């Protein structure tokens, strides 16, 4: 099997990835146009194929927008970050209309047959969904669907439902080409059969360990028949998710069909809404990095792009990283190396160049990775100290009030005056060393920056606490190789041999 | 737990399959979004912003994107058609030469050389029927090969507006070309 084949496989979903990436990266006024959680919700709805109700809401919102100048285009694409508060403001100043009523929670569209409500809280997500639809399906076909929704063409909620169903079919058709079936059953059975074979016919969650993951990858990565497990990271994530899902298996009793996710119960498809609810239960809390990237916290550069990237995977993996710390670190170090190799293939590396790329693909080792993570933690602590100084100077916090900074809970009422003075001096020095956006005294003249500190500081504390706890876990984690240096020494030839087996046949 | 695999019932196993599919797909997408191909440089929102922004020739990057991406081109044409209140379609196939007059729906565009200034040409936009209460402020000319120019129009008086342009300006070249379309809004 050629390396080109692997590249083609990886690029099957490139349009879907590009559309979701555009959603996440679009900025407006120096801020993310859409809240990160809305972007993730769109990705989740698409992957779970649980978009039908959202598309219904989009269509009703398009109808409501028809009363505004410029119709739904101006409504959805007006300049400025898209937040629920914006829609509350837009509808709050809407001209009188028989089309909808504005309530404290949202709008209720009036139809002959039955009313339909859309809450303000959903509107940022719906706008993000609209942006995704435009990128994916295109404006012209969407406009064909939306134009009849403008008054007075649609007078019954059923008319809007009919257009929403057309929209659902259009997205379904697009996803057929861009969200290839993931062969989940085949994937799962590959994992299950492997674990059963190791466990004498049965296994439990404990059998999903670091050695099992590495052994599976070494076999599967070079197997002709399985394309799903080419990267170590994909194997780590698959086993990690399997372990999480088995842990939560009791809550899956309501699902009684071994079938793909979809909306057709007649075809035996699993209800996408139930799957999405299950994912919400399994998945971790809101990623603090996402919240830091959103306003108002984003007005202050607590962490720069490089620092966020260093700990991005840790927060995406959540509890999986704690369940399988060695595999997580392997994924960070050798997964990145594998990405560099595939990138090299994409730009035409072959022969001796490819061999050199494989041999030198690791940019760091396990200790180096932990050191980089520790640097981000140290920076986070400094930022917290500096923030304490800035917030205190700006009158946002008053000693001896408690503020959520750790270990800088220095404003506790029990703190002695001399301790507080010493802490504030330490904080002042930390602030002096930071010249990033939001840390200049005049930045605090802006109310949103002040609000950014109130929202952002607990998030930075959460990030640094999490990194610290994870680094401590790594320090205590028993390793088959003895310590992290020795473990890297053992692992490197294993990964290099596998990379050569996967990519080395390119001539 | 400890849920052993053989201790799970069929419902749980099938649910695990579906949940694993969604979770791994979400993981795969998250990884790919973080490290995958960059987002398209020119998107619908950029084209929309161009129609509403200061009048300029379409930037090169936009032209390239429209040429390379037929879907984006289709969307751009639809956007202009939806934005415009008046439109002049491509001239009939018989019109193969360069044109001095273009007749649209309710309006006409004429190109008239200036007698006073050599190398200059007047662009005259005239309403041929009812004069609109809110006359257009923008004129865009598009060509199938990706060229597009947008002009801010001066105030209309008695249903007509005129502006002076260089004979070699792109807008003049496009207006003379029978294969172009004209949009007013």
């Amino acid at each position: 099997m050629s390396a080109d084949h692997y590249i083609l496989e990886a690029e099957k979903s490139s349009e879907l990835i590009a559309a979701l990436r555009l959603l996440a990266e679009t900025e407006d006024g120096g801020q993310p146009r859409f809240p990160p959680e809305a972007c993730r919700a769109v990705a989740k709805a698409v992957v779970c194929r649980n978009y039908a109700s959202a598309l219904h809401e989009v269509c009703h919102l398009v109808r409501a927008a028809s009363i505004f100048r410029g119709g739904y285009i101006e409504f959805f694409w007006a300049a400025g970050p898209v937040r629920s508060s914006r829609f509350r403001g837009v509808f709050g100043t809407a001209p009188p209309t028989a089309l909808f009523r504005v309530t404290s929670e949202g709008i209720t569209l009036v139809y002959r047959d039955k009313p339909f409500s859309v809450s303000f809280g959903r509107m940022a997500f719906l706008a993000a969904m609209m942006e995704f639809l435009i990128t994916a399906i295109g404006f012209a076909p969407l406009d064909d669907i939306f134009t009849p929704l403008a008054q007075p063409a649609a007078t019954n909620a059923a008319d809007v439902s009919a257009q929403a169903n057309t929209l659902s079919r259009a997205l379904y058709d697009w996803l057929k080409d861009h969200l290839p079936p993931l062969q989940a059953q085949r994937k799962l059975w590959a994992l299950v059969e492997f674990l059963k074979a190791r466990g004498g016919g049965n296994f439990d969650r404990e059998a999903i360990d670091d050695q099992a993951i590495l052994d599976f990858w070494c076999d599967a990565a070079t197997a002709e028949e399985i394309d799903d497990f080419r990267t170590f990271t994909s194997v780590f994530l698959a086993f990690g998710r399997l372990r999480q899902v088995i842990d939560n298996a009791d809550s899956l009793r309501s699902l009684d069909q071994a079938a793909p996710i979809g909306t057709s119960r007649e075809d035996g498809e699993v209800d996408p809404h139930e799957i999405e609810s299950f994912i919400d239960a399994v998945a971790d809390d809101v990623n603090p990095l996402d919240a830091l990237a959103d306003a108002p916290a984003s007005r202050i550069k607590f962490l720069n792009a490089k620092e966020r990237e260093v700990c991005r995977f840790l927060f995406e993996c959540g509890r999986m990283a704690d369940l399988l710390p060695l595999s997580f670190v392997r994924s960070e170090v050798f997964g990145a190396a594998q990405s560099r190799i595939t990138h090299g293939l994409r730009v035409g590396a072959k022969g001796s160049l490819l061999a050199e790329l494989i041999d030198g693909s690791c940019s760091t080792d396990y200790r180096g990775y932990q050191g980089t993570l520790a640097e981000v933690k140290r920076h986070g602590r400094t930022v917290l100290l500096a923030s304490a100084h800035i917030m205190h100077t700006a009158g946002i916090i008053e000693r001896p009030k408690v503020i959520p900074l750790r270990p800088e809970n220095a404003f506790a009422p029990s703190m002695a005056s001399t301790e507080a003075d010493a802490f504030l001096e330490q904080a002042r020095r930390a602030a002096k060393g930071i010249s990033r956006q939001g840390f200049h005294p005049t930045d605090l003249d802006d109310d949103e920056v002040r609000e950014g500190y109130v929202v952002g500081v607990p998030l930075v504390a959460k990030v640094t606490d999490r990194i610290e706890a994870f680094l401590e876990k790594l320090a205590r984690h028993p390793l088959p190789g003895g310590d992290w240096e020795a473990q890297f020494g053992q692992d490197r030839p294993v990964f290099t041999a596998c990379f050569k087996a996967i990519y080395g046949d390119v001539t | 737990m400890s849920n052993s695999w053989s201790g799970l019932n069929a419902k749980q196993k099938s649910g695990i399959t579906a949940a694993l599919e969604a979770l791994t797909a979400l993981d795969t997408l998250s990884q790919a979004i973080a490290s995958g191909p960059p987002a398209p440089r020119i998107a619908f929102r950029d084209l929309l912003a161009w129609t509403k922004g200061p009048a300029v020739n379409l930037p090169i990057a936009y032209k390239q994107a429209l040429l390379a991406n037929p879907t984006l081109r289709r969307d751009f044409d639809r956007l202009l058609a939806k934005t415009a209140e008046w439109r002049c379609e491509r001239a009939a196939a018989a019109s193969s030469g360069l044109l001095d007059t273009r007749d649209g729906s309710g309006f006409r565009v004429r190109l008239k050389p200036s007698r006073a200034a050599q190398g200059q040409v007047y662009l005259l936009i005239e309403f041929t029927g009812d004069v609109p209460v809110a006359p257009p402020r923008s004129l865009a000319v598009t060509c199938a090969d990706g060229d597009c120019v947008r002009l801010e129009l001066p105030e209309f008086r008695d249903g007509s507006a005129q502006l002076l342009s260089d004979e070699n300006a792109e807008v003049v070249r496009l207006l003379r070309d029978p294969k172009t379309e004209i949009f007013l809004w």
Side-chain angles (χ1 to χ4, degrees):
Chain A
M1 202 172 288
S2 75
D4 289 347
H5 173 79
Y6 305 134
I7 294 167
L8 287 174
E9 284 299 307
E11 291 181 351
K12 256 183 190 171
S13 309
S14 61
E15 279 192 50
L16 172 61
I17 292 161
L20 291 170
R21 191 166 182 175
L22 181 68
L23 199 61
E25 289 180 352
T26 301
E27 291 198 342
D28 210 325
Q31 293 181 34
R33 179 164 170 80
F34 300 102
E37 64 268 25
C39 299
R40 184 166 168 80
V42 170
K44 197 164 58 169
V46 167
V47 163
C48 295
R49 293 153 173 96
N50 187 26
Y51 46 74
S53 64
L55 299 190
H56 265 85
E57 290 176 282
V58 165
C59 286
H60 285 282
L61 204 48
V62 165
R63 177 164 164 78
S66 66
I67 71 151
F68 298 108
R69 189 171 175 276
Y72 76 91
I73 296 177
E74 287 292 326
F75 178 82
F76 282 103
W77 280 278
V82 174
R83 303 293 181 271
S84 296
S85 55
R86 165 170 150 182
F87 294 107
R88 192 182 286 275
V90 168
F91 282 109
T93 55
T97 175
L99 212 59
F100 57 78
R101 293 192 310 272
V102 181
T103 68
S104 59
E105 297 300 314
I107 58 167
T108 299
L109 290 106
V110 180
Y111 295 103
R112 279 187 195 155
D113 47 358
K114 56 181 178 182
F116 188 94
S117 295
V118 184
S119 73
F120 293 131
R122 289 277 287 174
M123 289 183 191
F125 160 68
L126 298 175
M129 178 62 88
M130 175 65 109
E131 184 83 31
F132 170 77
L133 291 171
I134 284 278
T135 310
I137 298 172
F139 173 60
L142 286 185
D143 192 49
D144 287 339
I145 294 169
F146 292 147
T147 299
L149 295 174
Q151 60 172 328
T155 50
N156 292 312
D159 299 329
V160 181
S161 293
Q163 294 304 96
N165 291 339
T166 305
L167 181 56
S168 279
R169 280 195 297 277
L171 181 55
Y172 180 86
D173 288 343
W174 189 84
L175 288 174
K176 269 197 295 195
D177 294 332
H178 299 93
L179 181 60
L182 295 169
Q183 307 295 336
Q185 290 199 40
R186 187 184 68 174
K187 259 181 112 163
L188 174 66
W189 288 114
L191 306 185
V192 167
E193 289 305 314
F194 173 82
L195 292 167
K196 278 167 70 177
R198 283 168 79 94
N202 194 17
F203 68 91
D204 63 14
R205 65 189 292 279
E206 302 302 331
I208 302 171
D209 61 16
D210 296 312
Q211 192 58 46
I213 292 171
L214 184 60
D215 290 347
F216 179 90
W217 177 67
C218 288
D219 289 345
T222 50
E224 290 282 326
E225 68 274 19
I226 299 176
D227 265 352
D228 304 312
F229 301 118
R230 204 62 62 192
T231 66
F232 180 79
T233 300
S234 69
V235 172
F236 161 61
L237 288 170
F239 272 109
R241 291 304 187 193
L242 178 61
R243 189 159 157 171
Q244 281 186 305
V245 169
I246 290 175
D247 281 351
N248 290 274
D250 289 343
S251 61
L252 284 167
R253 286 199 174 121
S254 60
L255 302 170
D256 56 2
Q257 296 290 324
I261 304 172
T263 52
S264 172
R265 285 189 178 277
E266 286 126 24
D267 293 340
E269 292 178 342
V270 175
D271 182 354
H273 182 68
E274 288 184 60
I275 287 297
E276 192 169 340
S277 301
F278 177 78
I279 287 175
D280 285 339
V282 170
D284 299 291
D285 297 336
V286 173
N287 185 339
L289 296 178
D290 284 348
L292 275 174
D294 197 11
S298 61
R299 295 294 308 276
I300 302 134
K301 196 175 270 184
F302 293 113
L303 299 176
N304 64 24
K306 194 178 169 190
E307 289 149 359
R308 287 197 303 273
E309 182 57 26
V310 167
C311 52
R312 178 184 60 79
F313 194 49
L314 178 63
F315 285 95
E316 282 178 3
C317 285
R319 288 187 289 269
M320 271 195 298
D322 295 313
L323 290 172
L324 299 158
L326 173 56
S327 293
F328 171 83
V329 174
R330 280 172 172 158
S331 190
E332 281 283 49
V333 173
F334 289 105
Q338 196 167 10
S339 292
R340 277 188 284 279
I341 295 168
T342 51
H343 176 73
L345 285 167
R346 248 188 218 113
V347 297
K350 55 176 78 171
S352 59
L353 196 61
L354 179 58
E356 280 176 32
L357 189 60
I358 290 173
D359 285 336
S361 57
C362 276
S363 64
T364 188
D365 58 17
Y366 296 155
R367 279 280 182 221
Y369 164 71
Q370 290 172 54
T372 312
L373 208 51
E375 276 173 31
V376 176
K377 183 204 76 176
R378 275 194 294 276
H379 169 75
R381 293 290 182 218
T382 305
V383 158
L384 288 174
L385 271 172
S387 301
H389 169 75
I390 288 166
M391 292 169 84
H392 180 248
T393 309
I396 301 170
I397 49 170
E398 293 172 17
R399 53 192 294 204
K401 259 191 174 174
V402 176
I403 57 167
L405 307 178
R406 282 188 301 271
E408 299 83 357
N409 263 344
F411 294 98
S414 60
M415 176 176 268
S417 178
T418 50
E419 283 177 301
D421 287 344
F423 169 75
L424 283 174
E425 176 54 24
Q426 200 185 353
R428 189 190 65 77
R429 282 201 303 271
K432 209 174 167 187
I434 297 181
S435 58
R436 293 185 179 187
Q437 172 194 312
F439 286 89
H440 192 273
T442 56
D443 292 338
L444 275 293
D445 295 342
D446 185 332
D447 284 345
E448 199 183 32
V449 173
R450 295 168 70 89
E451 179 65 17
Y453 274 100
V454 174
V455 173
V457 161
L459 294 169
V460 178
K462 199 171 177 184
V463 169
T464 50
D465 284 353
R466 169 68 177 133
I467 294 175
E468 185 166 300
F470 187 63
L471 286 170
E472 282 171 10
K473 188 174 189 67
L474 292 182
R476 292 193 312 270
H477 188 65
L479 294 165
D483 60 28
W484 286 102
E485 286 86 355
Q487 189 63 51
F488 182 75
Q490 276 187 14
D491 287 353
R492 187 171 189 167
V494 175
F495 277 89
T496 302
C498 271
F499 290 154
K500 283 182 177 166
I502 299 169
Y503 306 113
D505 64 344
V506 180
T507 55
Chain B
M1 207 181 99
S2 167
N3 280 331
S4 74
W5 180 256
S6 56
L8 296 172
N9 61 33
K11 289 177 184 178
Q12 289 170 319
K13 286 179 182 172
S14 60
I16 283 172
T17 305
L20 195 67
E21 174 183 21
L23 277 166
T24 52
L26 211 50
D27 286 335
T28 305
L29 279 177
S30 297
Q31 292 299 304
I33 288 166
S35 60
R41 286 177 58 207
I42 308 300
F44 172 77
R45 71 167 33 262
D46 301 306
L47 299 175
L48 178 63
W50 182 80
T51 64
K52 296 195 298 184
V56 286
N57 291 355
L58 199 64
I60 293 286
Y62 287 47
K63 288 182 188 178
Q64 288 171 339
L66 290 171
L67 270 176
N69 185 345
T71 306
L72 195 65
R73 176 79 221 189
R74 175 203 64 186
D75 288 350
F76 184 51
D77 290 343
R78 169 64 70 94
L79 178 63
L80 286 175
K82 196 171 177 72
T83 305
E85 291 179 61
W86 299 272
R87 181 176 182 176
C88 171
E89 297 190 349
R90 292 180 185 88
S95 310
S96 54
L98 297 180
L99 305 174
D100 287 329
T101 304
R102 302 291 301 270
D103 285 307
S105 54
F107 73 100
R108 175 176 297 137
V109 178
R110 288 194 293 137
L111 296 151
K112 195 174 163 189
S114 166
R115 289 180 187 167
Q118 201 176 3
Q120 301 281 295
V121 61
Y122 282 104
L123 312 184
L124 300 161
I125 301 106
E126 302 158 323
F127 280 93
T128 52
D130 294 338
V131 176
V133 177
R137 306 299 307 271
S138 290
L139 174 149
V141 202
T142 69
C143 187
D145 67 6
D147 274 354
C148 186
V149 174
R150 188 164 79 80
L151 297 177
E152 292 286 348
L153 296 177
E155 279 203 21
F156 277 73
R157 288 187 183 167
D158 299 326
S160 69
Q162 71 172 34
L163 43 91
L164 193 61
S165 175
D166 191 282
E167 174 74 41
N168 297 318
E170 191 170 13
V171 66
V172 174
R173 181 180 66 77
L174 289 173
L175 284 168
R176 288 192 194 284
D177 185 345
K179 295 193 291 292
T180 59
E181 287 193 85
I182 306 167
F183 301 89
L184 298 181
W185 68 90

